[in-house]
Amino acid sequence: MNDIKVLNHAADNIRILAASAVEKAKSGHPGGAMGGADFINVLYSEYLNYDPENPTWVGRDRFYLDPGHMAPMLYSQLCLIGKYSLEELANLRQWGSPTTGHPEFDITRGVENTSGPLGQGHAFAVGAAIAAKFLAAHTGNPTFEKETIYAYISDGGVQEEISQGAARIAGTLGLDNLIMFYDSNDIQLSTETKEVMNEDTAMKYRALGWDVQEINGNDAAQIRTAIEKAKAVKGKPALIIGKCIMGKGALKDDGSSYERNCKTHGAPLGGDAFKNTVKNLGGDPENPFQIFDDVKALYAKRAEELKKIAAERYAEEKAWATANPEKAAQQADWFAGKAPKIDWSKCVQKDNDATRSASAACLSVLAEQVPNMICASADLSNSDKTDGFLKKTHAFKAGDFSGAFFQAGVAELTMACCCIGMSLHGGVIPACGTFFVFSDYMKPAVRMAALMELPVKFVWTHDAFRVGEDGPTHEPVEQEAQIRLMEKLKNHHGENSCLVLRPADAKETTVAWAMAMENMRTPTALILSRQNIQNLPEGNDYEQARKGGYIVAGSDENPDVVLVATGSEVSTLVAGAELLRKDGVKVRIVSVPSEGVFRCQPAAYQQSIVPAGAKVFGMTAGLPVNLQGFLIGAAPESKVWGLESFGFSAPYKVLDEKLGYTAENVYKQVKAML
Ligand SMILES: Cc1ncc(C[n+]2csc(CCOP(=O)(O)OP(=O)(O)O)c2C)c(N)n1
Ligand SMILES: [Mg+2]
């Protein structure tokens, strides 16, 4: 047992470092960091199990920070365990420094998730806890049973709506490997919390199936006892509500208390206030970036303990691996993030099928061939056709993670964040489905998946106004334009931050799913039709879809016009081309499942598909902007037929007629161009 005095000294050390980093950066959030220091210090000095030598150890405990603005707390803590140098800490928020304004996913540095958008971080933890349960059940490796997932949430995260979804899922699935600390300091950015929340948070979480403890969050002994109790809880996730003091130990320039003050949320303490604070906490204001000797000793001792803990766990893992060599080899591949080998010849597509059904055929193959895949749906599996996967497995339930399907309930953002958390944990490949129009509820998570370069698969069906009778609330129009922006946005590796595929028919869907499964470097979005789609012409070379855009079979040499579309509109162009050919017009049809991928091809290839100066006619069921890129450099008569309204309520064939998505209209529009 560590001396409480030393623990308190270490927490003060964290407070000094956090306040100093913000002071030096002249920007950042000291108050929350100072309040939360006691919890994170007890966690890291006594409970969090990891291997100091091997940051990617699969069986490590994981710590997911929700309030990214508390970066100074995390970095200061990670400084105490040697993951950051004091110099790096002193470079908080500066160009090129690893101590970015908000933490960015970097396992080697001990940062398990990017955080900043409040709420998402703790939902990642829920996903990670699910992944650990899944891996325990599917590998039998005892290490996953011993893994604890810690989450840290603040007032902002509790206020975010996603906390309801995350708590519901964790409670329903009985995630007893999840321990969440709520830094309840009664203060937020602009007000005291009482101005915006009047709830019994403990009762709320109890009602959602959690074990809840309420403690003084600045009392190391109470924190220790609470973590012990939380670890012993069976069948439920555990919440520790810690009443913390915002800006603990902070003094103003006149020496009076600067605690519990909104002003310390997001600004340096400033000048004499900073100096007084550092002195008050036992540091040297002239030289504040220091680790006290007793704190060094505390963490040196912990490092020794961790070596022993890791060695024991490795021995257990080794015994399991020796007894289960095939599973062990498989597990190594899973955590290496290798794309699974899939025999797509087993995927048989029906002619003229809806691409959502074609996706079901793919998912059925994946359920059989990819043992570490987890598929989810937000209560639409029979409609978004993730049931192709579900039919080959069963859903998770409390105490039973032998299945591979995650029923998320009607909570798209929660579902997406849980899938991201699974991916962060590692070892699994998550996919999740819902209607494309509700991708709007998931965008903040998709953005985080793209930023973190996580290969989550997003399956979005009912891709256009052909949802028909459901009316404009359910008809995606501008959604494709929005998600395609992520293809234009580059990630830290200079690659398209997301792969977005809208296949043109059933067989192109198989290629799209193959591309999705091969893509382990970024998220993938699949945009799929509700309605049946006529197959592309006989002899179509579907493998060409891998280039993002290609010439569809049956196209004419030396065309008078190049017709361009994605998804089901390609088949409308094919029908329109029949009419044009009767008039002697030579037509090329180009299917562009991903303009983002197409634009990555050599210029010569792009030119060979859509030559400069060609007359181009594009057709999209979304905003015209989806295809307007193809008008650049094209003949001036070129145009895009798109939709510029929310859509209307009517049977989809009526909408096709009324909105001009017919062979006849393709004929009419193109004739007017020639
Ligand atoms: C989704 C989202 N909305 C708004 C913000 C901006 N923001 C950052 S911190 C914060 C207040 C958070 O208060 P609390 O969680 O209590 O943190 P504390 O002030 O206690 O450090 C807000 C509104 C954000 N980061 N994410
Ligand atoms: Mg707060």
Side-chain angles (χ1 to χ4, degrees), residues 29 31-33 67-70 102 116-119 153-160 182-190 193 246 262 264-266:
H29 304 79
H69 69 277
M70 291 176 68
H102 288 74
L118 290 163
I153 194 171
S154 61
D155 298 306
V158 170
Q159 287 164 23
E160 283 292 346
Y182 168 24
D183 171 353
S184 170
N185 62 13
D186 302 332
I187 307 278
Q188 54 198 81
L189 191 151
S190 59
T193 53
M246 178 83 163
C262 281
T264 70
H265 164 89

PDB file of all heavy atoms in Angstrom, residues 29 31-33 67-70 102 116-119 153-160 182-190 193 246 262 264-266, ligand 1:
ATOM      1  N   HIS A  29      -6.674  24.091 -20.721  1.00  0.00           N
ATOM      2  CA  HIS A  29      -7.688  23.879 -19.686  1.00  0.00           C
ATOM      3  C   HIS A  29      -7.052  23.348 -18.407  1.00  0.00           C
ATOM      4  O   HIS A  29      -6.876  22.137 -18.260  1.00  0.00           O
ATOM      5  CB  HIS A  29      -8.728  22.887 -20.189  1.00  0.00           C
ATOM      6  CG  HIS A  29      -9.385  23.292 -21.470  1.00  0.00           C
ATOM      7  ND1 HIS A  29      -8.790  23.131 -22.694  1.00  0.00           N
ATOM      8  CD2 HIS A  29     -10.594  23.861 -21.708  1.00  0.00           C
ATOM      9  CE1 HIS A  29      -9.585  23.571 -23.643  1.00  0.00           C
ATOM     10  NE2 HIS A  29     -10.697  24.026 -23.075  1.00  0.00           N
ATOM     11  N   GLY A  31      -8.236  23.839 -15.038  1.00  0.00           N
ATOM     12  CA  GLY A  31      -9.110  23.596 -13.886  1.00  0.00           C
ATOM     13  C   GLY A  31      -9.542  22.156 -13.715  1.00  0.00           C
ATOM     14  O   GLY A  31      -9.361  21.549 -12.649  1.00  0.00           O
ATOM     15  N   GLY A  32     -10.126  21.596 -14.773  1.00  0.00           N
ATOM     16  CA  GLY A  32     -10.609  20.215 -14.698  1.00  0.00           C
ATOM     17  C   GLY A  32      -9.457  19.266 -14.434  1.00  0.00           C
ATOM     18  O   GLY A  32      -9.562  18.318 -13.645  1.00  0.00           O
ATOM     19  N   ALA A  33      -8.344  19.511 -15.132  1.00  0.00           N
ATOM     20  CA  ALA A  33      -7.165  18.650 -14.988  1.00  0.00           C
ATOM     21  C   ALA A  33      -6.701  18.610 -13.535  1.00  0.00           C
ATOM     22  O   ALA A  33      -6.340  17.555 -13.008  1.00  0.00           O
ATOM     23  CB  ALA A  33      -6.048  19.164 -15.897  1.00  0.00           C
ATOM     24  N   PRO A  67     -13.385  13.674 -21.673  1.00  0.00           N
ATOM     25  CA  PRO A  67     -13.161  15.109 -21.853  1.00  0.00           C
ATOM     26  C   PRO A  67     -11.745  15.387 -22.342  1.00  0.00           C
ATOM     27  O   PRO A  67     -10.798  15.475 -21.552  1.00  0.00           O
ATOM     28  CB  PRO A  67     -13.370  15.687 -20.448  1.00  0.00           C
ATOM     29  CG  PRO A  67     -13.094  14.553 -19.510  1.00  0.00           C
ATOM     30  CD  PRO A  67     -13.336  13.274 -20.242  1.00  0.00           C
ATOM     31  N   GLY A  68     -11.621  15.539 -23.664  1.00  0.00           N
ATOM     32  CA  GLY A  68     -10.292  15.753 -24.248  1.00  0.00           C
ATOM     33  C   GLY A  68      -9.646  17.042 -23.783  1.00  0.00           C
ATOM     34  O   GLY A  68      -8.423  17.178 -23.818  1.00  0.00           O
ATOM     35  N   HIS A  69     -10.508  17.976 -23.306  1.00  0.00           N
ATOM     36  CA  HIS A  69      -9.904  19.227 -22.826  1.00  0.00           C
ATOM     37  C   HIS A  69      -9.069  18.985 -21.572  1.00  0.00           C
ATOM     38  O   HIS A  69      -8.299  19.857 -21.168  1.00  0.00           O
ATOM     39  CB  HIS A  69     -10.977  20.293 -22.575  1.00  0.00           C
ATOM     40  CG  HIS A  69     -11.890  20.010 -21.419  1.00  0.00           C
ATOM     41  ND1 HIS A  69     -13.002  19.196 -21.513  1.00  0.00           N
ATOM     42  CD2 HIS A  69     -11.852  20.431 -20.126  1.00  0.00           C
ATOM     43  CE1 HIS A  69     -13.611  19.138 -20.334  1.00  0.00           C
ATOM     44  NE2 HIS A  69     -12.940  19.875 -19.470  1.00  0.00           N
ATOM     45  N   MET A  70      -9.201  17.805 -20.984  1.00  0.00           N
ATOM     46  CA  MET A  70      -8.371  17.483 -19.826  1.00  0.00           C
ATOM     47  C   MET A  70      -7.046  16.850 -20.246  1.00  0.00           C
ATOM     48  O   MET A  70      -6.362  16.187 -19.448  1.00  0.00           O
ATOM     49  CB  MET A  70      -9.151  16.614 -18.843  1.00  0.00           C
ATOM     50  CG  MET A  70     -10.271  17.457 -18.214  1.00  0.00           C
ATOM     51  SD  MET A  70     -11.373  16.575 -17.117  1.00  0.00           S
ATOM     52  CE  MET A  70     -10.273  16.219 -15.774  1.00  0.00           C
ATOM     53  N   HIS A 102      -5.808  18.534 -27.970  1.00  0.00           N
ATOM     54  CA  HIS A 102      -6.613  17.457 -27.399  1.00  0.00           C
ATOM     55  C   HIS A 102      -5.897  16.155 -27.745  1.00  0.00           C
ATOM     56  O   HIS A 102      -5.238  16.071 -28.781  1.00  0.00           O
ATOM     57  CB  HIS A 102      -8.031  17.485 -27.971  1.00  0.00           C
ATOM     58  CG  HIS A 102      -8.853  18.644 -27.459  1.00  0.00           C
ATOM     59  ND1 HIS A 102      -8.644  19.935 -27.879  1.00  0.00           N
ATOM     60  CD2 HIS A 102      -9.854  18.708 -26.551  1.00  0.00           C
ATOM     61  CE1 HIS A 102      -9.496  20.746 -27.251  1.00  0.00           C
ATOM     62  NE2 HIS A 102     -10.248  20.030 -26.431  1.00  0.00           N
ATOM     63  N   GLY A 116     -12.215  14.857 -27.506  1.00  0.00           N
ATOM     64  CA  GLY A 116     -12.469  16.282 -27.732  1.00  0.00           C
ATOM     65  C   GLY A 116     -13.952  16.526 -27.862  1.00  0.00           C
ATOM     66  O   GLY A 116     -14.520  17.307 -27.096  1.00  0.00           O
ATOM     67  N   PRO A 117     -14.622  15.838 -28.804  1.00  0.00           N
ATOM     68  CA  PRO A 117     -16.080  15.938 -28.842  1.00  0.00           C
ATOM     69  C   PRO A 117     -16.648  15.204 -27.625  1.00  0.00           C
ATOM     70  O   PRO A 117     -16.617  13.976 -27.569  1.00  0.00           O
ATOM     71  CB  PRO A 117     -16.463  15.244 -30.145  1.00  0.00           C
ATOM     72  CG  PRO A 117     -15.187  15.061 -30.905  1.00  0.00           C
ATOM     73  CD  PRO A 117     -14.100  14.994 -29.869  1.00  0.00           C
ATOM     74  N   LEU A 118     -17.137  15.956 -26.665  1.00  0.00           N
ATOM     75  CA  LEU A 118     -17.582  15.364 -25.397  1.00  0.00           C
ATOM     76  C   LEU A 118     -18.614  14.260 -25.631  1.00  0.00           C
ATOM     77  O   LEU A 118     -19.479  14.373 -26.492  1.00  0.00           O
ATOM     78  CB  LEU A 118     -18.172  16.446 -24.495  1.00  0.00           C
ATOM     79  CG  LEU A 118     -17.148  17.449 -23.938  1.00  0.00           C
ATOM     80  CD1 LEU A 118     -17.854  18.701 -23.407  1.00  0.00           C
ATOM     81  CD2 LEU A 118     -16.298  16.812 -22.855  1.00  0.00           C
ATOM     82  N   GLY A 119     -18.521  13.217 -24.860  1.00  0.00           N
ATOM     83  CA  GLY A 119     -19.484  12.120 -24.912  1.00  0.00           C
ATOM     84  C   GLY A 119     -18.964  10.901 -25.641  1.00  0.00           C
ATOM     85  O   GLY A 119     -19.190   9.767 -25.207  1.00  0.00           O
ATOM     86  N   ILE A 153     -15.193  10.313 -17.369  1.00  0.00           N
ATOM     87  CA  ILE A 153     -16.213  11.193 -17.943  1.00  0.00           C
ATOM     88  C   ILE A 153     -16.356  12.426 -17.043  1.00  0.00           C
ATOM     89  O   ILE A 153     -16.052  12.369 -15.843  1.00  0.00           O
ATOM     90  CB  ILE A 153     -17.559  10.431 -18.100  1.00  0.00           C
ATOM     91  CG1 ILE A 153     -18.537  11.191 -19.006  1.00  0.00           C
ATOM     92  CG2 ILE A 153     -18.189  10.136 -16.750  1.00  0.00           C
ATOM     93  CD1 ILE A 153     -19.770  10.372 -19.364  1.00  0.00           C
ATOM     94  N   SER A 154     -16.815  13.514 -17.636  1.00  0.00           N
ATOM     95  CA  SER A 154     -17.002  14.747 -16.859  1.00  0.00           C
ATOM     96  C   SER A 154     -18.447  15.225 -17.043  1.00  0.00           C
ATOM     97  O   SER A 154     -19.252  14.562 -17.701  1.00  0.00           O
ATOM     98  CB  SER A 154     -16.015  15.810 -17.329  1.00  0.00           C
ATOM     99  OG  SER A 154     -16.249  16.098 -18.693  1.00  0.00           O
ATOM    100  N   ASP A 155     -18.754  16.371 -16.490  1.00  0.00           N
ATOM    101  CA  ASP A 155     -20.141  16.865 -16.574  1.00  0.00           C
ATOM    102  C   ASP A 155     -20.620  16.962 -18.028  1.00  0.00           C
ATOM    103  O   ASP A 155     -21.752  16.616 -18.350  1.00  0.00           O
ATOM    104  CB  ASP A 155     -20.245  18.248 -15.916  1.00  0.00           C
ATOM    105  CG  ASP A 155     -19.892  18.203 -14.436  1.00  0.00           C
ATOM    106  OD1 ASP A 155     -20.499  17.384 -13.711  1.00  0.00           O
ATOM    107  OD2 ASP A 155     -19.007  18.963 -14.011  1.00  0.00           O
ATOM    108  N   GLY A 156     -19.724  17.455 -18.881  1.00  0.00           N
ATOM    109  CA  GLY A 156     -20.106  17.611 -20.292  1.00  0.00           C
ATOM    110  C   GLY A 156     -20.507  16.285 -20.902  1.00  0.00           C
ATOM    111  O   GLY A 156     -21.503  16.192 -21.629  1.00  0.00           O
ATOM    112  N   GLY A 157     -19.753  15.238 -20.632  1.00  0.00           N
ATOM    113  CA  GLY A 157     -20.052  13.919 -21.186  1.00  0.00           C
ATOM    114  C   GLY A 157     -21.362  13.367 -20.660  1.00  0.00           C
ATOM    115  O   GLY A 157     -22.129  12.732 -21.398  1.00  0.00           O
ATOM    116  N   VAL A 158     -21.631  13.613 -19.387  1.00  0.00           N
ATOM    117  CA  VAL A 158     -22.893  13.126 -18.806  1.00  0.00           C
ATOM    118  C   VAL A 158     -24.070  13.883 -19.431  1.00  0.00           C
ATOM    119  O   VAL A 158     -25.140  13.317 -19.661  1.00  0.00           O
ATOM    120  CB  VAL A 158     -22.881  13.276 -17.265  1.00  0.00           C
ATOM    121  CG1 VAL A 158     -24.261  13.009 -16.668  1.00  0.00           C
ATOM    122  CG2 VAL A 158     -21.851  12.326 -16.657  1.00  0.00           C
ATOM    123  N   GLN A 159     -23.855  15.161 -19.746  1.00  0.00           N
ATOM    124  CA  GLN A 159     -24.935  15.937 -20.363  1.00  0.00           C
ATOM    125  C   GLN A 159     -25.173  15.542 -21.817  1.00  0.00           C
ATOM    126  O   GLN A 159     -26.289  15.643 -22.324  1.00  0.00           O
ATOM    127  CB  GLN A 159     -24.615  17.437 -20.276  1.00  0.00           C
ATOM    128  CG  GLN A 159     -24.766  17.989 -18.871  1.00  0.00           C
ATOM    129  CD  GLN A 159     -24.085  19.337 -18.684  1.00  0.00           C
ATOM    130  OE1 GLN A 159     -23.857  20.077 -19.630  1.00  0.00           O
ATOM    131  NE2 GLN A 159     -23.762  19.656 -17.441  1.00  0.00           N
ATOM    132  N   GLU A 160     -24.140  15.129 -22.514  1.00  0.00           N
ATOM    133  CA  GLU A 160     -24.315  14.737 -23.911  1.00  0.00           C
ATOM    134  C   GLU A 160     -25.286  13.558 -23.989  1.00  0.00           C
ATOM    135  O   GLU A 160     -25.184  12.597 -23.221  1.00  0.00           O
ATOM    136  CB  GLU A 160     -22.964  14.341 -24.540  1.00  0.00           C
ATOM    137  CG  GLU A 160     -22.076  15.520 -24.896  1.00  0.00           C
ATOM    138  CD  GLU A 160     -22.627  16.375 -26.053  1.00  0.00           C
ATOM    139  OE1 GLU A 160     -23.545  15.936 -26.762  1.00  0.00           O
ATOM    140  OE2 GLU A 160     -22.114  17.499 -26.224  1.00  0.00           O
ATOM    141  N   TYR A 182     -16.703   9.350 -12.873  1.00  0.00           N
ATOM    142  CA  TYR A 182     -17.353  10.609 -13.260  1.00  0.00           C
ATOM    143  C   TYR A 182     -16.784  11.727 -12.401  1.00  0.00           C
ATOM    144  O   TYR A 182     -16.997  11.773 -11.192  1.00  0.00           O
ATOM    145  CB  TYR A 182     -18.875  10.471 -13.087  1.00  0.00           C
ATOM    146  CG  TYR A 182     -19.683  11.759 -13.161  1.00  0.00           C
ATOM    147  CD1 TYR A 182     -19.219  12.898 -13.836  1.00  0.00           C
ATOM    148  CD2 TYR A 182     -20.948  11.823 -12.576  1.00  0.00           C
ATOM    149  CE1 TYR A 182     -19.972  14.073 -13.896  1.00  0.00           C
ATOM    150  CE2 TYR A 182     -21.715  12.986 -12.631  1.00  0.00           C
ATOM    151  CZ  TYR A 182     -21.211  14.108 -13.289  1.00  0.00           C
ATOM    152  OH  TYR A 182     -21.955  15.269 -13.339  1.00  0.00           O
ATOM    153  N   ASP A 183     -16.049  12.607 -13.063  1.00  0.00           N
ATOM    154  CA  ASP A 183     -15.464  13.779 -12.417  1.00  0.00           C
ATOM    155  C   ASP A 183     -16.580  14.818 -12.284  1.00  0.00           C
ATOM    156  O   ASP A 183     -16.838  15.598 -13.196  1.00  0.00           O
ATOM    157  CB  ASP A 183     -14.317  14.273 -13.306  1.00  0.00           C
ATOM    158  CG  ASP A 183     -13.755  15.616 -12.881  1.00  0.00           C
ATOM    159  OD1 ASP A 183     -14.329  16.260 -11.982  1.00  0.00           O
ATOM    160  OD2 ASP A 183     -12.738  16.021 -13.472  1.00  0.00           O
ATOM    161  N   SER A 184     -17.227  14.776 -11.143  1.00  0.00           N
ATOM    162  CA  SER A 184     -18.392  15.638 -10.919  1.00  0.00           C
ATOM    163  C   SER A 184     -17.938  16.843 -10.104  1.00  0.00           C
ATOM    164  O   SER A 184     -17.869  16.788  -8.876  1.00  0.00           O
ATOM    165  CB  SER A 184     -19.458  14.818 -10.172  1.00  0.00           C
ATOM    166  OG  SER A 184     -20.495  15.652  -9.734  1.00  0.00           O
ATOM    167  N   ASN A 185     -17.611  17.923 -10.820  1.00  0.00           N
ATOM    168  CA  ASN A 185     -17.042  19.081 -10.110  1.00  0.00           C
ATOM    169  C   ASN A 185     -17.993  20.275 -10.062  1.00  0.00           C
ATOM    170  O   ASN A 185     -17.594  21.378  -9.660  1.00  0.00           O
ATOM    171  CB  ASN A 185     -15.677  19.464 -10.691  1.00  0.00           C
ATOM    172  CG  ASN A 185     -15.766  19.886 -12.153  1.00  0.00           C
ATOM    173  OD1 ASN A 185     -16.855  20.121 -12.673  1.00  0.00           O
ATOM    174  ND2 ASN A 185     -14.626  19.985 -12.813  1.00  0.00           N
ATOM    175  N   ASP A 186     -19.217  20.073 -10.497  1.00  0.00           N
ATOM    176  CA  ASP A 186     -20.274  21.093 -10.416  1.00  0.00           C
ATOM    177  C   ASP A 186     -20.007  22.327 -11.280  1.00  0.00           C
ATOM    178  O   ASP A 186     -20.750  23.307 -11.217  1.00  0.00           O
ATOM    179  CB  ASP A 186     -20.518  21.555  -8.963  1.00  0.00           C
ATOM    180  CG  ASP A 186     -20.900  20.408  -8.056  1.00  0.00           C
ATOM    181  OD1 ASP A 186     -21.476  19.426  -8.574  1.00  0.00           O
ATOM    182  OD2 ASP A 186     -20.589  20.462  -6.848  1.00  0.00           O
ATOM    183  N   ILE A 187     -18.949  22.284 -12.065  1.00  0.00           N
ATOM    184  CA  ILE A 187     -18.583  23.446 -12.890  1.00  0.00           C
ATOM    185  C   ILE A 187     -18.406  22.981 -14.328  1.00  0.00           C
ATOM    186  O   ILE A 187     -17.872  21.890 -14.562  1.00  0.00           O
ATOM    187  CB  ILE A 187     -17.220  24.049 -12.431  1.00  0.00           C
ATOM    188  CG1 ILE A 187     -17.210  24.346 -10.938  1.00  0.00           C
ATOM    189  CG2 ILE A 187     -16.837  25.264 -13.275  1.00  0.00           C
ATOM    190  CD1 ILE A 187     -17.845  25.626 -10.516  1.00  0.00           C
ATOM    191  N   GLN A 188     -18.838  23.789 -15.247  1.00  0.00           N
ATOM    192  CA  GLN A 188     -18.505  23.513 -16.640  1.00  0.00           C
ATOM    193  C   GLN A 188     -18.014  24.788 -17.295  1.00  0.00           C
ATOM    194  O   GLN A 188     -17.596  25.708 -16.587  1.00  0.00           O
ATOM    195  CB  GLN A 188     -19.683  22.862 -17.367  1.00  0.00           C
ATOM    196  CG  GLN A 188     -20.992  23.615 -17.280  1.00  0.00           C
ATOM    197  CD  GLN A 188     -22.138  22.699 -17.644  1.00  0.00           C
ATOM    198  OE1 GLN A 188     -22.603  21.916 -16.816  1.00  0.00           O
ATOM    199  NE2 GLN A 188     -22.578  22.801 -18.881  1.00  0.00           N
ATOM    200  N   LEU A 189     -18.032  24.844 -18.612  1.00  0.00           N
ATOM    201  CA  LEU A 189     -17.331  25.926 -19.299  1.00  0.00           C
ATOM    202  C   LEU A 189     -17.857  27.316 -18.936  1.00  0.00           C
ATOM    203  O   LEU A 189     -17.109  28.208 -18.571  1.00  0.00           O
ATOM    204  CB  LEU A 189     -17.406  25.685 -20.813  1.00  0.00           C
ATOM    205  CG  LEU A 189     -16.531  26.548 -21.706  1.00  0.00           C
ATOM    206  CD1 LEU A 189     -16.173  25.789 -22.976  1.00  0.00           C
ATOM    207  CD2 LEU A 189     -17.205  27.860 -22.087  1.00  0.00           C
ATOM    208  N   SER A 190     -19.181  27.463 -19.020  1.00  0.00           N
ATOM    209  CA  SER A 190     -19.705  28.824 -18.875  1.00  0.00           C
ATOM    210  C   SER A 190     -20.568  29.024 -17.640  1.00  0.00           C
ATOM    211  O   SER A 190     -20.897  30.160 -17.307  1.00  0.00           O
ATOM    212  CB  SER A 190     -20.513  29.202 -20.117  1.00  0.00           C
ATOM    213  OG  SER A 190     -21.578  28.304 -20.288  1.00  0.00           O
ATOM    214  N   THR A 193     -22.894  23.698 -13.028  1.00  0.00           N
ATOM    215  CA  THR A 193     -23.735  22.655 -13.630  1.00  0.00           C
ATOM    216  C   THR A 193     -25.190  22.773 -13.174  1.00  0.00           C
ATOM    217  O   THR A 193     -26.105  22.404 -13.911  1.00  0.00           O
ATOM    218  CB  THR A 193     -23.223  21.242 -13.280  1.00  0.00           C
ATOM    219  OG1 THR A 193     -23.091  21.153 -11.863  1.00  0.00           O
ATOM    220  CG2 THR A 193     -21.894  20.947 -13.924  1.00  0.00           C
ATOM    221  N   MET A 246     -12.908  21.631  -8.855  1.00  0.00           N
ATOM    222  CA  MET A 246     -12.349  22.291 -10.041  1.00  0.00           C
ATOM    223  C   MET A 246     -11.171  23.162  -9.609  1.00  0.00           C
ATOM    224  O   MET A 246     -11.274  23.914  -8.625  1.00  0.00           O
ATOM    225  CB  MET A 246     -13.465  23.161 -10.628  1.00  0.00           C
ATOM    226  CG  MET A 246     -13.071  23.960 -11.814  1.00  0.00           C
ATOM    227  SD  MET A 246     -13.215  22.880 -13.228  1.00  0.00           S
ATOM    228  CE  MET A 246     -13.232  24.065 -14.529  1.00  0.00           C
ATOM    229  N   CYS A 262     -15.360  28.826 -12.803  1.00  0.00           N
ATOM    230  CA  CYS A 262     -15.472  28.548 -14.245  1.00  0.00           C
ATOM    231  C   CYS A 262     -14.276  29.064 -15.025  1.00  0.00           C
ATOM    232  O   CYS A 262     -13.909  28.500 -16.048  1.00  0.00           O
ATOM    233  CB  CYS A 262     -16.705  29.224 -14.837  1.00  0.00           C
ATOM    234  SG  CYS A 262     -18.227  28.367 -14.521  1.00  0.00           S
ATOM    235  N   THR A 264     -11.262  28.891 -14.555  1.00  0.00           N
ATOM    236  CA  THR A 264     -10.107  27.986 -14.690  1.00  0.00           C
ATOM    237  C   THR A 264     -10.412  26.851 -15.669  1.00  0.00           C
ATOM    238  O   THR A 264      -9.543  26.039 -15.961  1.00  0.00           O
ATOM    239  CB  THR A 264      -9.691  27.354 -13.338  1.00  0.00           C
ATOM    240  OG1 THR A 264     -10.703  26.412 -12.935  1.00  0.00           O
ATOM    241  CG2 THR A 264      -9.509  28.400 -12.264  1.00  0.00           C
ATOM    242  N   HIS A 265     -11.654  26.820 -16.189  1.00  0.00           N
ATOM    243  CA  HIS A 265     -11.988  25.731 -17.115  1.00  0.00           C
ATOM    244  C   HIS A 265     -11.095  25.780 -18.347  1.00  0.00           C
ATOM    245  O   HIS A 265     -10.497  24.777 -18.718  1.00  0.00           O
ATOM    246  CB  HIS A 265     -13.457  25.795 -17.557  1.00  0.00           C
ATOM    247  CG  HIS A 265     -13.718  24.962 -18.775  1.00  0.00           C
ATOM    248  ND1 HIS A 265     -14.058  23.642 -18.711  1.00  0.00           N
ATOM    249  CD2 HIS A 265     -13.612  25.259 -20.096  1.00  0.00           C
ATOM    250  CE1 HIS A 265     -14.160  23.149 -19.944  1.00  0.00           C
ATOM    251  NE2 HIS A 265     -13.898  24.121 -20.802  1.00  0.00           N
ATOM    252  N   GLY A 266     -11.027  26.945 -18.973  1.00  0.00           N
ATOM    253  CA  GLY A 266     -10.383  26.966 -20.296  1.00  0.00           C
ATOM    254  C   GLY A 266      -9.401  28.088 -20.509  1.00  0.00           C
ATOM    255  O   GLY A 266      -9.242  28.543 -21.644  1.00  0.00           O
TER     256      GLY A 266
HETATM  257  C1  LIG B   1     -19.552  17.880 -28.210  1.00  0.00           C
HETATM  258  C2  LIG B   1     -18.853  19.021 -27.550  1.00  0.00           C
HETATM  259  N1  LIG B   1     -19.535  20.145 -27.301  1.00  0.00           N
HETATM  260  C3  LIG B   1     -18.913  21.201 -26.745  1.00  0.00           C
HETATM  261  C4  LIG B   1     -17.588  21.160 -26.446  1.00  0.00           C
HETATM  262  C5  LIG B   1     -16.876  22.376 -25.885  1.00  0.00           C
HETATM  263  N2  LIG B   1     -16.574  22.169 -24.475  1.00  0.00           N
HETATM  264  C6  LIG B   1     -15.390  21.702 -24.080  1.00  0.00           C
HETATM  265  S1  LIG B   1     -15.304  21.459 -22.436  1.00  0.00           S
HETATM  266  C7  LIG B   1     -16.891  22.018 -22.220  1.00  0.00           C
HETATM  267  C8  LIG B   1     -17.506  22.059 -20.853  1.00  0.00           C
HETATM  268  C9  LIG B   1     -17.270  20.803 -20.159  1.00  0.00           C
HETATM  269  O1  LIG B   1     -17.527  20.895 -18.817  1.00  0.00           O
HETATM  270  P1  LIG B   1     -17.026  19.716 -17.914  1.00  0.00           P
HETATM  271  O2  LIG B   1     -17.171  18.471 -18.663  1.00  0.00           O
HETATM  272  O3  LIG B   1     -17.736  19.827 -16.642  1.00  0.00           O
HETATM  273  O4  LIG B   1     -15.494  19.984 -17.767  1.00  0.00           O
HETATM  274  P2  LIG B   1     -14.798  20.883 -16.637  1.00  0.00           P
HETATM  275  O5  LIG B   1     -15.230  22.289 -16.886  1.00  0.00           O
HETATM  276  O6  LIG B   1     -15.282  20.370 -15.347  1.00  0.00           O
HETATM  277  O7  LIG B   1     -13.355  20.695 -16.887  1.00  0.00           O
HETATM  278  C10 LIG B   1     -17.444  22.369 -23.431  1.00  0.00           C
HETATM  279  C11 LIG B   1     -18.814  22.911 -23.588  1.00  0.00           C
HETATM  280  C12 LIG B   1     -16.917  19.963 -26.724  1.00  0.00           C
HETATM  281  N3  LIG B   1     -15.621  19.803 -26.490  1.00  0.00           N
HETATM  282  N4  LIG B   1     -17.579  18.910 -27.246  1.00  0.00           N
END
